[in-house]
Amino acid sequence: MIKTVNLKKVYLTEDVETTALNNVNFEVEKGEFVSIMGPSGCGKSTLLNILGLLDNPSDGELHFVGHEVSKFSERQRAQLRKENIGFVFQSFNLIDELTIFENVELPLLYLGVPSSERKKKVNEVLERMEVMHRVNHFPQQLSGGQQQRVAVARAIVSTPKVILADEPTGNLDSERGDEVMSLLTSLNEQGTTIVMVTHSPTYAEYGNRVIHLFDGHIVTENVKEKEKFHV
Protein backbone atom coordinates (compact mmCIF):
# COMPACT_ATOMS: atom_id res chain seq x y z
CA MET A 1 0.00 0.00 0.00
CA ILE A 2 2.87 2.39 0.88
CA LYS A 3 6.49 2.05 -0.23
CA THR A 4 9.45 4.41 0.01
CA VAL A 5 12.62 4.04 -2.06
CA ASN A 6 15.72 5.97 -0.95
CA LEU A 7 13.48 8.69 0.42
CA LYS A 8 15.27 11.89 1.34
CA LYS A 9 14.16 15.22 2.77
CA VAL A 10 16.50 18.21 3.02
CA TYR A 11 15.58 21.61 4.44
CA LEU A 12 17.59 24.58 3.21
CA THR A 13 18.04 27.99 4.81
CA GLU A 14 20.49 30.71 3.83
CA ASP A 15 23.33 29.20 5.85
CA VAL A 16 22.29 25.68 6.82
CA GLU A 17 21.33 22.48 5.07
CA THR A 18 19.50 20.04 7.35
CA THR A 19 18.87 16.45 6.29
CA ALA A 20 15.69 15.30 8.02
CA LEU A 21 15.40 11.96 6.17
CA ASN A 22 18.24 10.13 4.46
CA ASN A 23 17.65 7.12 2.17
CA VAL A 24 14.62 5.74 4.02
CA ASN A 25 13.37 2.44 2.58
CA PHE A 26 10.35 0.61 3.93
CA GLU A 27 6.92 -0.70 3.03
CA VAL A 28 3.54 -0.71 4.74
CA GLU A 29 1.23 -3.53 3.77
CA LYS A 30 -2.54 -3.27 3.56
CA GLY A 31 -4.05 -3.86 7.01
CA GLU A 32 -0.78 -3.37 8.88
CA PHE A 33 -0.33 -1.33 12.07
CA VAL A 34 3.13 0.25 12.02
CA SER A 35 4.59 2.23 14.92
CA ILE A 36 7.43 4.71 14.32
CA MET A 37 9.68 5.66 17.25
CA GLY A 38 12.77 7.77 17.78
CA PRO A 39 14.09 10.80 19.68
CA SER A 40 12.87 14.32 18.99
CA GLY A 41 14.27 15.67 15.73
CA CYS A 42 14.97 12.25 14.22
CA GLY A 43 12.57 12.73 11.30
CA LYS A 44 9.42 10.98 12.54
CA SER A 45 6.96 13.79 11.85
CA THR A 46 8.71 14.67 8.58
CA LEU A 47 8.26 11.08 7.42
CA LEU A 48 4.60 11.08 8.47
CA ASN A 49 3.97 14.35 6.61
CA ILE A 50 5.44 12.87 3.44
CA LEU A 51 3.51 9.60 3.83
CA GLY A 52 0.37 11.72 4.36
CA LEU A 53 1.02 13.65 1.13
CA LEU A 54 1.33 16.91 3.05
CA ASP A 55 4.85 17.40 1.72
CA ASN A 56 7.04 16.12 -1.12
CA PRO A 57 10.43 14.44 -0.58
CA SER A 58 13.60 16.13 -1.83
CA ASP A 59 14.68 12.91 -3.53
CA GLY A 60 13.68 9.27 -3.83
CA GLU A 61 10.31 7.67 -4.51
CA LEU A 62 7.04 7.39 -2.62
CA HIS A 63 4.52 4.85 -3.83
CA PHE A 64 1.01 5.23 -2.42
CA VAL A 65 -1.97 2.99 -3.33
CA GLY A 66 -0.49 2.21 -6.73
CA HIS A 67 0.79 5.69 -7.60
CA GLU A 68 4.36 7.03 -7.57
CA VAL A 69 3.61 10.37 -5.98
CA SER A 70 6.97 11.94 -5.12
CA LYS A 71 6.65 14.58 -7.85
CA PHE A 72 2.89 15.13 -7.59
CA SER A 73 1.62 18.70 -7.46
CA GLU A 74 -0.16 19.95 -4.34
CA ARG A 75 -3.49 19.60 -6.14
CA GLN A 76 -2.78 15.99 -7.09
CA ARG A 77 -1.62 15.19 -3.55
CA ALA A 78 -4.69 16.84 -2.03
CA GLN A 79 -7.06 14.78 -4.18
CA LEU A 80 -5.32 11.51 -3.32
CA ARG A 81 -5.09 12.50 0.34
CA LYS A 82 -8.75 13.31 0.85
CA GLU A 83 -9.83 10.09 -0.87
CA ASN A 84 -7.53 7.77 1.10
CA ILE A 85 -6.10 9.20 4.34
CA GLY A 86 -7.43 10.10 7.78
CA PHE A 87 -5.25 12.06 10.23
CA VAL A 88 -5.18 11.97 14.04
CA PHE A 89 -2.95 14.57 15.71
CA GLN A 90 -1.57 15.02 19.23
CA SER A 91 -3.18 18.46 19.50
CA PHE A 92 -6.52 17.18 18.13
CA ASN A 93 -6.66 19.99 15.50
CA LEU A 94 -10.39 20.49 15.93
CA ILE A 95 -11.87 23.82 14.81
CA ASP A 96 -13.05 25.72 17.88
CA GLU A 97 -15.75 27.67 16.01
CA LEU A 98 -17.46 24.51 14.73
CA THR A 99 -19.64 22.12 16.69
CA ILE A 100 -18.59 18.51 17.16
CA PHE A 101 -20.98 17.49 14.37
CA GLU A 102 -19.56 20.13 12.03
CA ASN A 103 -15.95 19.14 12.80
CA VAL A 104 -16.61 15.50 11.96
CA GLU A 105 -18.64 16.45 8.89
CA LEU A 106 -15.78 18.40 7.25
CA PRO A 107 -14.09 15.52 5.36
CA LEU A 108 -17.44 14.56 3.85
CA LEU A 109 -18.03 18.14 2.71
CA TYR A 110 -14.66 18.12 0.95
CA LEU A 111 -15.65 14.89 -0.80
CA GLY A 112 -19.00 16.33 -1.94
CA VAL A 113 -21.11 13.78 -0.04
CA PRO A 114 -24.85 14.70 -0.11
CA SER A 115 -26.34 16.25 3.04
CA SER A 116 -28.58 13.34 4.07
CA GLU A 117 -25.73 10.85 3.68
CA ARG A 118 -23.36 13.15 5.61
CA LYS A 119 -25.76 13.32 8.53
CA LYS A 120 -26.15 9.55 8.62
CA LYS A 121 -22.40 8.90 8.48
CA VAL A 122 -21.54 11.54 11.10
CA ASN A 123 -24.18 10.30 13.53
CA GLU A 124 -23.04 6.70 13.08
CA VAL A 125 -19.39 7.48 13.77
CA LEU A 126 -20.19 9.73 16.77
CA GLU A 127 -22.26 6.90 18.24
CA ARG A 128 -19.38 4.52 17.65
CA MET A 129 -16.95 6.89 19.41
CA GLU A 130 -19.44 7.36 22.27
CA VAL A 131 -19.62 11.15 21.92
CA MET A 132 -23.06 11.46 20.33
CA HIS A 133 -24.33 13.20 23.48
CA ARG A 134 -21.84 16.01 22.73
CA VAL A 135 -22.90 16.53 19.11
CA ASN A 136 -23.93 20.18 19.52
CA HIS A 137 -21.09 21.17 21.84
CA PHE A 138 -17.88 22.92 20.82
CA PRO A 139 -14.40 21.39 21.23
CA GLN A 140 -13.43 23.55 24.22
CA GLN A 141 -16.45 22.21 26.11
CA LEU A 142 -15.04 18.66 25.95
CA SER A 143 -12.33 16.89 27.93
CA GLY A 144 -9.07 15.97 26.22
CA GLY A 145 -10.15 12.36 25.90
CA GLN A 146 -13.46 13.36 24.34
CA GLN A 147 -11.72 15.73 21.91
CA GLN A 148 -9.41 12.94 20.77
CA ARG A 149 -12.43 10.66 20.27
CA VAL A 150 -13.94 13.36 18.06
CA ALA A 151 -10.63 13.65 16.19
CA VAL A 152 -10.68 9.88 15.58
CA ALA A 153 -14.31 10.15 14.43
CA ARG A 154 -13.32 12.85 11.93
CA ALA A 155 -10.43 10.70 10.71
CA ILE A 156 -12.60 7.65 10.02
CA VAL A 157 -15.91 9.18 8.89
CA SER A 158 -14.94 8.94 5.21
CA THR A 159 -13.73 5.33 5.64
CA PRO A 160 -10.11 6.03 4.65
CA LYS A 161 -7.74 3.27 3.59
CA VAL A 162 -5.00 4.64 5.88
CA ILE A 163 -4.97 6.44 9.23
CA LEU A 164 -1.83 8.42 10.09
CA ALA A 165 -1.56 9.20 13.80
CA ASP A 166 1.04 11.67 15.11
CA GLU A 167 1.47 11.19 18.87
CA PRO A 168 -2.29 10.56 19.30
CA THR A 169 -1.94 9.97 23.05
CA GLY A 170 0.62 12.71 23.74
CA ASN A 171 -1.81 15.12 25.44
CA LEU A 172 -3.80 12.47 27.31
CA ASP A 173 -3.46 10.77 30.68
CA SER A 174 -2.78 7.03 30.69
CA GLU A 175 -6.44 6.02 30.99
CA ARG A 176 -7.54 8.18 28.05
CA GLY A 177 -4.44 7.18 26.12
CA ASP A 178 -5.36 3.52 26.57
CA GLU A 179 -8.85 4.29 25.26
CA VAL A 180 -7.48 5.89 22.09
CA MET A 181 -5.12 2.97 21.49
CA SER A 182 -8.02 0.55 21.91
CA LEU A 183 -9.96 2.53 19.29
CA LEU A 184 -7.05 2.43 16.85
CA THR A 185 -6.55 -1.29 17.46
CA SER A 186 -10.24 -1.92 16.80
CA LEU A 187 -10.06 0.03 13.53
CA ASN A 188 -6.99 -1.95 12.49
CA GLU A 189 -8.72 -5.23 13.27
CA GLN A 190 -11.52 -4.13 10.93
CA GLY A 191 -8.98 -3.68 8.12
CA THR A 192 -7.77 -0.06 8.34
CA THR A 193 -4.04 0.42 7.77
CA ILE A 194 -2.47 2.52 10.54
CA VAL A 195 0.89 4.28 10.75
CA MET A 196 1.53 5.89 14.15
CA VAL A 197 4.34 8.06 15.48
CA THR A 198 4.80 7.69 19.24
CA HIS A 199 7.36 8.27 22.00
CA SER A 200 5.77 5.55 24.13
CA PRO A 201 7.34 2.05 23.96
CA THR A 202 4.16 0.67 25.53
CA TYR A 203 1.86 2.14 22.87
CA ALA A 204 4.32 1.29 20.09
CA GLU A 205 3.81 -2.37 20.95
CA TYR A 206 0.21 -2.12 19.74
CA GLY A 207 1.66 -2.19 16.23
CA ASN A 208 2.51 -5.26 14.17
CA ARG A 209 5.85 -3.64 13.48
CA VAL A 210 7.97 -1.05 15.28
CA ILE A 211 10.38 1.08 13.25
CA HIS A 212 13.08 3.09 15.03
CA LEU A 213 14.41 6.25 13.39
CA PHE A 214 17.64 8.01 14.33
CA ASP A 215 19.13 11.00 12.49
CA GLY A 216 16.84 10.42 9.52
CA HIS A 217 17.70 6.73 9.13
CA ILE A 218 15.82 3.54 10.01
CA VAL A 219 18.17 1.92 12.52
CA THR A 220 16.09 -1.03 13.77
CA GLU A 221 12.84 -2.73 12.89
CA ASN A 222 10.91 -5.22 15.05
CA VAL A 223 8.28 -7.36 13.33
CA LYS A 224 5.51 -9.22 15.16
CA GLU A 225 3.15 -11.92 13.88
CA LYS A 226 2.25 -11.24 10.29
CA GLU A 227 -0.94 -13.28 10.20
CA LYS A 228 -2.74 -10.39 11.86
CA PHE A 229 -2.54 -8.24 8.71
CA HIS A 230 -5.70 -7.82 6.65
CA VAL A 231 -5.02 -8.40 2.96
Side-chain angles (χ1 to χ4, degrees):
M1 175 167 280
I2 300 172
K3 179 181 179 181
T4 72
V5 180
N6 296 328
L7 201 70
K8 189 172 185 178
K9 183 64 179 181
V10 177
Y11 294 103
L12 299 172
T13 63
E14 288 184 5
D15 303 313
V16 180
E17 176 179 302
T18 302
T19 301
L21 296 172
N22 194 4
N23 294 327
V24 171
N25 295 277
F26 80 111
E27 295 185 42
V28 179
E29 298 181 23
K30 181 181 178 183
E32 202 173 355
F33 189 151
V34 177
S35 302
I36 300 174
M37 296 192 70
S40 296
C42 72
K44 301 187 303 297
S45 292
T46 298
L47 178 58
L48 207 67
N49 284 341
I50 291 175
L51 297 182
L53 311 180
L54 296 171
D55 196 5
N56 273 343
S58 303
D59 200 4
E61 298 178 5
L62 171 62
H63 298 262
F64 183 82
V65 294
H67 303 272
E68 204 290 291
V69 302
S70 60
K71 301 298 189 293
F72 269 27
S73 67
E74 169 53 30
R75 183 173 181 179
Q76 289 173 305
R77 293 202 312 270
Q79 185 64 33
L80 201 58
R81 185 169 62 237
K82 70 182 182 181
E83 292 174 351
N84 294 281
I85 301 174
F87 293 92
V88 181
F89 301 97
Q90 175 179 351
S91 56
F92 317 138
N93 282 19
L94 301 175
I95 299 174
D96 289 341
E97 294 77 20
L98 300 181
T99 66
I100 297 313
F101 182 96
E102 291 166 341
N103 267 280
V104 176
E105 184 187 30
L106 269 181
L108 302 179
L109 283 170
Y110 294 147
L111 289 170
V113 175
S115 176
S116 59
E117 187 178 348
R118 289 201 308 270
K119 183 175 182 180
K120 180 175 182 290
K121 285 179 175 289
V122 172
N123 287 339
E124 284 176 352
V125 76
L126 289 175
E127 287 280 6
R128 183 178 177 187
M129 294 296 109
E130 300 179 356
V131 285
M132 187 63 187
H133 62 296
R134 295 290 201 170
V135 64
N136 293 317
H137 288 71
F138 292 90
Q140 295 305 314
Q141 296 175 298
L142 275 60
S143 68
Q146 289 171 328
Q147 289 187 59
Q148 194 59 294
R149 283 178 172 272
V150 173
V152 172
R154 182 185 57 190
I156 67 173
V157 70
S158 59
T159 319
K161 293 182 177 69
V162 180
I163 288 180
L164 301 180
D166 193 357
E167 295 284 0
T169 62
N171 283 332
L172 304 175
D173 59 35
S174 59
E175 181 180 354
R176 299 295 174 258
D178 290 347
E179 287 180 5
V180 169
M181 292 310 304
S182 294
L183 288 171
L184 292 177
T185 300
S186 175
L187 292 168
N188 178 244
E189 289 171 348
Q190 293 166 39
T192 305
T193 303
I194 296 176
V195 181
M196 176 183 72
V197 163
T198 181
H199 278 102
S200 167
T202 300
Y203 291 146
E205 288 300 315
Y206 280 76
N208 305 116
R209 185 153 51 106
V210 183
I211 291 172
H212 293 264
L213 281 180
F214 187 77
D215 286 349
H217 297 273
I218 293 177
V219 290
T220 60
E221 187 173 333
N222 304 321
V223 183
K224 294 158 72 173
E225 70 276 10
K226 208 165 185 176
E227 62 268 21
K228 183 177 175 182
F229 303 170
H230 302 264
V231 295

